[in-house]
Each structure stands twice: as structure tokens, then as C-alpha cells.
Amino acid sequence: MSQSDVTTLNQKFAIPGQLEFTEDVGGLIIARIANKQAQSTIALQGAHVMTFEPVGEKPVIWLSPAAKLVLGKSIRGGVPICWPWFGAHATDSTFPAHGFARTVPWQVVASEALSDGSTRVTFELPQSSIPAAQWPHACRVRNIVTIGKEMTVELVTENTGQAMFEISEALHTYFVISDVDKIRITGLEGCTYLDKVGDWQRRTQDGAITIAAEVDRLYVNTDSDCLIDDNGHKRCIRIAKRGSLSTVVWNPWVEKAAKMGDFGSDTGYRGMVCVESANAAENVVKVAAGATHSLHVTYSIENI
Ligand code: TA6
């Protein structure tokens, strides 16, 4: 079946009243979920969750108003999948930052209306989308997205080859916030982090994280939940992860956001923060031949 054929996708996987597939003007195919608990849009390119909005709640996931929905280009916002490496490639600077997974076509392999009223869609990265020069390993990679009053994203890597391989990865999630000076991020107190803004110095987190300049930190050896405590929206966003020992906190601030060119208005950076559930630096994951590794995150809202 040609996965680029919306009609075929809808015949096989649409769920009346919950899930349909449409083609965007830029040629991207979008899964559109609207059930009694939430709405979400997911691009098949990169199995990229773009939006998530529980019923009666403000949007949780931030998508840049200037996001370019173009084939082969990364989408600014949502939940980009960084795989099979996080950040710059270790040895080849010509390979794309954050890996290739987020800019190649994925396929839909399953859709389910769950008994609790949520909707689950399973995406798979076909071997044909994997550039062999960048990743010469046999593997099965799935992204399983469940949309209800909470959102769950599970990135599953199966080593179907004969030798161990090593990955670094992240669900590089962008969150909607009221304003960058009205939030604090908790859960990483006392953790060691690599400070990209400070020349990758290793530092220790003292208290809650507040943001008043560019922040780009890779916290290591932490499996803690993180909370984005948003005094402006009078809510907390909980990020509850399993299978992840790193967390990245990023806000580009004004200069870097302007340079990136797809943050929308010159104050676009004020309405977002990234809290990314990852495995990177000393937390890279060795996947033995025949083994399966899961990075699983549940995003939920708590009112304050
Ligand atoms: O996760 C933080 C980070 O690595 C930043 O350093 C910045 O590069 C950001 O990711 C966005 O990267 P992108 O390739 O999506 O522009």
C-alpha cells in the first residue's frame, strides 16, 4: 500500500468520529485526531506530533506559527523525534543534527479506539526511509501515540540485526507557556547538567529552573518527572518518563530564536519552552542484538 495515498490510509486506519488522514498543502500527510477528550495533529513525516489540546484546556504542545510544513524539512515545535542520535553526529558533521528520523516518511501500522475513550496510532519507520550511509543497522522503530486527556508518546527501538548498536535520542517536546518569566521547572534539583550555553561545562542544578536568558542544558542520570509550573496559565504540565535518563531544557531566547527564522514573531520564544525526555551524553543506550528499548513519556495537566 502506498502510504502517501490518503484514500488508502483512511480506508485502512481511519476511525469514524476520532481519526482521519488529510494531505496538507505542502504535501505532508497529517493524522487528525478529535475524540471526546482531546484533539491532536500528527505529521506522518517524522511521526511528528504537532499539536495536542485536551478538551476544555489550553493547548499543551507549542507549534510555531511560522513552522514550515515542507517535505524533508524539520517542523518547528510539537514533538520532534531525535533519533538515532541527539545533537550533532559524533563523527560526521555532514549528517543532520538530531538524526534523520524527524525528516523522513514514516508509515501508519495501526490505529485503535481504546476503551477509555482515547485514540492510539502506531507509526513505523520503514527501512526504506533509513539512509544506510548514516545508519547501517537492521532495526524496527515505532512511535506509538495515545491521545486522551493525557498524551503518551512511546519511541520503541528494536535491534533486529546480529550486533549491538548504540543510540542517543530525544522526544524534543515544545510546550505552550503563558510567558517565560511566569514559569519554573521542577524535578531536576541537584542534578548534574552539561551547559551548552556555558561551553558544555558540567554544573549542578540549584533549586527550580527559571529562565531569563538562553537556556540549553542537558541534565544527565535523572529519571525524574519534570513539572512546568506556569503561574500565568494557573496550571502545571507534568512530564512523566520511563526509559530515559537525560532531560534537556531549552529556550533559545531572543537572538537565537530570531536566527532560526521559524519562531514566528520576535517574541515567539516567550511562549514556549522545551523539556525533552532523552538519552544522550553518558546516557546513550546500547541495544543488544534482538533487544528492544522503549522511551515512554506521559504528558498531563494539573491545575494549581
Ligand atoms: O535540544 C536543544 C537543541 O539541541 C538546541 O541546542 C537547539 O539546537 C535545538 O535543539 C533545536 O534544534 P533544531 O535542529 O530543531 O533547530
Side-chain angles (χ1 to χ4, degrees), residues 16-237:
Q18 284 196 32
L19 168 65
E20 64 166 356
F21 297 88
T22 62
E23 184 161 349
D24 188 74
V25 289
L28 267 62
I29 294 186
I30 312 291
R32 296 185 182 282
I33 295 169
N35 58 39
K36 292 187 168 54
Q37 297 172 12
Q39 295 192 0
S40 173
T41 55
I42 310 168
L44 261 63
Q45 175 176 285
H48 190 134
V49 175
M50 297 193 294
T51 61
F52 168 57
E53 185 173 341
V55 169
E57 211 10 280
K58 297 178 184 66
V60 175
I61 299 298
W62 182 85
L63 182 68
S64 169
K68 298 181 179 68
L69 301 189
V70 174
L71 288 168
K73 295 278 180 231
S74 60
I75 299 167
R76 179 67 60 203
V79 185
I81 292 176
C82 303
W83 189 94
W85 59 84
F86 177 81
H89 187 269
T91 57
D92 191 326
S93 60
T94 66
F95 290 178
H98 290 329
F100 51 79
R102 62 178 173 167
T103 54
V104 297
W106 290 53
Q107 295 184 343
V108 177
V109 293
S111 61
E112 299 161 80
L114 301 181
S115 57
D116 66 359
S118 58
T119 308
R120 175 170 294 161
V121 187
T122 300
F123 302 86
E124 188 163 320
L125 176 63
Q127 200 72 39
S128 58
S129 286
I130 297 177
Q134 298 181 28
W135 189 251
H137 305 290
C139 57
R140 180 174 179 233
V141 189
R142 283 169 294 145
N143 195 40
I144 305 163
V145 181
T146 308
I147 300 296
K149 62 183 185 325
E150 301 176 345
M151 174 170 77
T152 295
V153 181
E154 182 178 20
L155 179 60
V156 183
T157 300
E158 184 181 347
N159 183 341
T160 56
Q162 305 303 316
M164 180 277 290
F165 57 59
E166 202 172 87
I167 60 170
S168 55
E169 60 185 346
L171 294 175
H172 191 299
T173 308
Y174 291 70
F175 294 95
V176 169
I177 56 175
S178 58
D179 190 280
V180 70
D181 64 11
K182 294 189 175 64
I183 67 158
R184 50 201 291 273
I185 297 165
T186 59
L188 296 167
E189 294 81 352
C191 291
T192 297
Y193 65 91
L194 305 178
D195 184 2
K196 185 172 180 182
V197 174
D199 209 15
W200 291 113
Q201 290 288 311
R202 293 179 84 92
R203 306 186 199 282
T204 302
Q205 181 58 40
D206 177 16
I209 300 165
T210 55
I211 299 173
E214 181 185 356
V215 167
D216 196 344
R217 301 176 186 173
L218 169 54
Y219 292 82
V220 291
N221 305 319
T222 169
D223 60 2
S224 301
D225 286 13
C226 285
L227 275 173
I228 303 172
D229 192 341
D230 187 337
N231 199 29
H233 280 161
K234 295 284 178 262
R235 71 178 184 182
C236 274
I237 300 173

Side-chain angles (χ1 to χ4, degrees), residues 247-298:
T247 295
V248 177
V249 175
W250 179 58
N251 184 289
W253 211 246
V254 55
E255 290 83 12
K256 186 152 283 182
K259 270 194 213 127
M260 289 183 154
D262 55 2
F263 264 79
S265 72
D266 55 9
T267 56
Y269 72 94
R270 299 195 65 90
M272 56 68 65
V273 68
C274 281
V275 178
E276 306 161 33
S277 306
N279 287 297
E282 56 246 60
N283 299 135
V284 296
V285 177
K286 295 184 188 318
V287 187
T292 296
H293 160 73
S294 165
L295 167 52
H296 181 288
V297 190
T298 297

Side-chain angles (χ1 to χ4, degrees), residues 1-19:
M1 174 189 75
S2 150
Q3 283 274 321
S4 60
D5 176 347
V6 172
T7 306
T8 307
L9 275 168
N10 280 314
Q11 284 166 347
K12 285 200 76 173
F13 300 110
I15 302 173
Q18 284 196 32
L19 168 65

